[in-house]
């Protein structure tokens, strides 16, 4: 059986977790602080704040840029549902714009029409690790004086061309970027998230909000020679990452350059194999270098997506359908206009297995199973 993904995690991570357990301080503490510093340095950010997952990261990011009940936040429906949910957690309304057919990212050409006097922020998604057209999105955001939040859940190690320099996603290029550390992404801490920003005041707010709104963190009180009493000036949350997770995350972070290099080789190889059989490989715009968190293939017109996926599963190859659309799920029904590209991306694409341990033979097998599944469909049609 070839799974859709397999995390790269080993004895180094196990030893790091054990070190923290033996040390005795398990919740947010020195390991979290070190992980934040290392991740900030890696993506080129001034500040990084660790949280419990990317969903809570998005919630806090929207809060600190000032999203309030009744506001509108422009985002995409074609994303994991957490993107839209985070907007609703703020009491705001997600306004969905359609995606670009080739990149599966927010279509900058459709953004301007969605902006209203109630718009409070723009939340774009680097879907499947493919960087958005940040230059265009940012220029519109700045023109309308709107903050741009990047859902970079899938995009650790992805790069974007700025002038003539490749920069990692998360600098951030917008105002705040949010990463996920869930096993379905490149690196994981079980669950976990990270928020990067260039603004010290926002970073400070994020730190307070993630820990109950507390004025003096427990880490400071713990090492103080003076008795200190904390206060709770704002309504906060418990969105902490633990030191056990952070220790694992520090080891995972060291692996990112290698993981990205291997994934790019695998993606290029899939591209060649698909081109050889006349299938459309994913598009990478000239300004973007994906980390290939997911590898998405559009099926030829008129395919039965589920039948193709079932045929591949029967042959021992696990796939996933294209990324979901939030506007088709119960909490969001009737909340958007037509989103034809988003729906087509969900219904006509499949994700192929991609993980660092995937061999060339396995990749060839995956593509041959896909071709067989498509041929069988054509035969069935001919017979019918
Ligand atoms: C995975 C994912 C999330 C949620 O991340 P968690 O860490 O699981 O909360 C949010 N947005 C996108 C685009 C994702 O892929």
């Amino acid at each position: 059986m070839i799974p859709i993904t397999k995390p790269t995690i080993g004895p180094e991570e196990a030893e790091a977790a054990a070190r923290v357990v033996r040390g005795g301080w398990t919740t947010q503490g020195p390991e979290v602080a070190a992980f934040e510093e290392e991740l900030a340095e890696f993506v080129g950010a001034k500040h990084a704040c660790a949280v419990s997952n990317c969903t809570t990261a998005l919630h806090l990011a929207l809060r600190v840029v000032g999203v309030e009940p009744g506001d509108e936040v422009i985002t995409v429906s074609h994303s994991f549902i957490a993107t839209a949910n985070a907007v609703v957690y703020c009491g705001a309304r997600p306004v969905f714009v359609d995606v670009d057919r080739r990149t599966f990212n927010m279509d900058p050409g459709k953004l301007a029409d969605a902006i209203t006097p109630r718009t409070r922020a723009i939340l774009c998604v680097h879907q499947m690790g493919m960087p958005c057209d940040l230059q265009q999105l940012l220029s519109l955001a700045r023109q309308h004086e709107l903050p741009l939040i990047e859902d970079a859940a899938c995009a650790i190690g992805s790069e974007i061309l700025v002038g003539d320099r490749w920069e990692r996603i998360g600098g951030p290029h917008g105002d705040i970027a949010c990463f996920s550390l869930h096993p379905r992404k490149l690196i994981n801490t079980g669950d976990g998230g990270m928020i990067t920003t260039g603004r010290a005041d926002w970073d400070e707010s994020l730190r307070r909000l993630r820990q109950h709104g507390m004025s003096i963190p427990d880490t400071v009180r713990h090492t103080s020679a003076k008795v200190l009493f904390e206060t709770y000036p704002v309504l906060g949350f418990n969105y902490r990452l633990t030191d056990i997770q952070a220790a694992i995350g520090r080891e995972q972070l060291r692996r990112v350059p290698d993981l990205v290099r291997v994934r790019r080789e695998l993606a290029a190889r899939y591209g060649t194999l698909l081109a050889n059989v006349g299938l459309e490989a994913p598009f990478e715009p000239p300004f973007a270098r994906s980390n290939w968190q997911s590898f998405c293939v559009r099926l030829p017109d008129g395919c039965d997506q589920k039948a193709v996926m079932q045929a591949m599963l029967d042959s021992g190859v696990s796939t996933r359908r294209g990324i979901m659309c939030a506007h088709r799920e119960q909490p969001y029904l009737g909340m958007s206009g037509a989103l034809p590209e988003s729906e087509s991306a969900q219904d006509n694409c499949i994700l192929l297995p991609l993980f660092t341990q995937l061999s060339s033979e396995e990749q060839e097998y995956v593509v041959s199973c896909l071709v067989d599944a498509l041929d069988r469909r054509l035969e069935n049609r001919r017979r019918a």
Side-chain angles (χ1 to χ4, degrees):
M1 191 72 210
I2 304 179
I4 186 78
T5 191
K6 215 186 257 184
T8 304
I9 190 160
E12 296 86 350
E13 283 82 356
E15 182 44 45
R19 183 186 75 231
V20 172
V21 172
R22 282 194 293 265
W25 183 288
T26 51
T27 189
Q28 177 182 291
E31 291 287 338
V32 165
F35 184 30
E36 288 170 340
E37 222 167 86
E38 288 161 12
L39 190 135
E41 155 113 49
F42 181 76
V43 301
K46 268 211 185 110
H47 308 280
C49 174
V51 287
S52 50
N53 55 66
C54 187
T55 309
T56 54
L58 291 168
H59 182 200
L60 294 192
L62 290 161
R63 288 278 298 240
V64 299
V65 304
V67 174
E68 288 185 357
D71 288 342
E72 291 176 359
V73 174
I74 300 176
T75 188
V76 287
S77 167
H78 180 62
S79 181
F80 183 56
I81 199 160
T83 309
N85 286 353
V87 174
V88 177
Y89 296 163
C90 296
R93 191 172 79 85
V95 174
F96 298 129
V97 300
D98 211 357
V99 294
D100 177 271
R101 181 180 171 80
R102 294 210 291 172
T103 62
F104 305 105
N105 283 331
M106 183 183 280
D107 186 342
K110 293 179 183 144
L111 171 58
D113 284 346
I115 298 173
T116 77
R118 285 182 302 278
T119 307
R120 192 64 198 83
I122 299 167
L123 172 56
C124 66
V125 181
H126 302 301
Q127 196 52 263
M128 299 180 274
M130 186 64 74
C132 290
D133 189 343
L134 282 173
Q135 202 182 333
Q136 289 214 53
L137 295 179
L138 255 178
S139 109
L140 270 166
R142 294 293 177 251
Q143 205 178 307
H144 294 268
E145 296 180 3
L146 292 168
L148 179 69
I149 298 171
E150 300 167 52
D151 180 341
C154 304
I156 187 87
S158 296
E159 292 159 291
I160 188 146
L161 193 60
V162 180
D164 57 0
R165 267 187 33 182
W166 287 99
E167 295 183 2
R168 290 203 174 106
I169 291 293
H173 298 89
D175 297 285
I176 298 189
C178 300
F179 292 95
S180 171
L181 301 163
H182 179 274
R184 183 68 183 85
K185 325 295 182 187
L186 256 69
I187 58 168
N188 85 87
T189 57
D191 263 304
M194 196 69 85
I195 313 169
T196 62
T197 181
R199 276 186 56 168
D201 56 335
W202 283 352
D203 182 62
E204 197 178 312
S205 299
L206 292 167
R207 285 167 194 285
R208 194 165 283 191
L209 287 171
R210 75 173 166 181
Q211 192 169 23
H212 308 286
M214 200 184 283
S215 64
I216 309 170
D218 48 356
T219 41
V220 173
R221 283 180 279 127
H222 187 71
T223 52
S224 172
K226 272 196 183 154
V227 172
L228 296 170
F229 291 156
E230 81 284 14
T231 60
Y232 299 83
V234 294
L235 179 73
F237 307 89
N238 179 356
Y239 285 175
R240 285 182 305 246
L241 192 74
T242 69
D243 257 23
I244 304 171
Q245 292 169 301
I248 294 170
R250 294 176 71 190
E251 294 300 328
Q252 287 273 282
L253 187 63
R254 277 189 246 284
R255 297 186 191 268
V256 175
D258 270 349
L259 293 178
V260 171
R261 183 180 48 75
V262 173
R263 296 182 81 92
R264 283 177 181 165
E265 286 166 14
L266 292 167
R269 190 137 207 296
Y270 263 146
T272 308
L273 292 170
L274 290 170
N276 289 345
V277 295
L279 284 169
E280 196 181 328
F283 171 69
E284 190 172 55
F287 59 78
R289 277 189 196 156
S290 184
N291 64 2
W292 301 105
Q293 180 268 337
S294 286
F295 190 90
C296 182
V297 179
R298 190 176 290 273
L299 300 175
D301 283 343
C303 271
D304 181 343
Q305 179 197 45
K306 202 169 187 182
V308 169
M309 293 174 67
Q310 187 63 54
M312 293 183 74
L313 188 61
D314 294 343
S315 307
V317 176
S318 184
T319 60
R320 293 289 180 273
R321 65 175 176 176
I323 302 295
M324 66 171 297
C325 289
H327 76 279
R328 289 166 140 181
E329 300 298 328
Q330 190 62 40
Y332 299 100
L333 289 182
M335 279 181 61
S336 78
L339 299 167
E341 292 302 340
S342 299
E343 296 190 0
S344 159
Q346 178 180 3
D347 297 342
N348 302 319
C349 294
I350 63 169
L351 312 186
L352 300 184
L354 185 68
F355 46 90
T356 44
Q357 308 90 327
L358 190 67
S359 70
S360 307
E361 293 74 28
E362 285 174 321
Q363 279 194 289
E364 279 165 26
Y365 182 68
V366 169
V367 174
S368 77
C369 287
L370 173 58
V371 170
D372 286 350
L374 294 172
D375 285 349
R376 213 176 310 164
R377 170 196 60 92
L378 289 176
E379 265 166 41
N380 287 344
R381 255 231 225 126
R382 244 176 264 132
R383 249 184 259 130

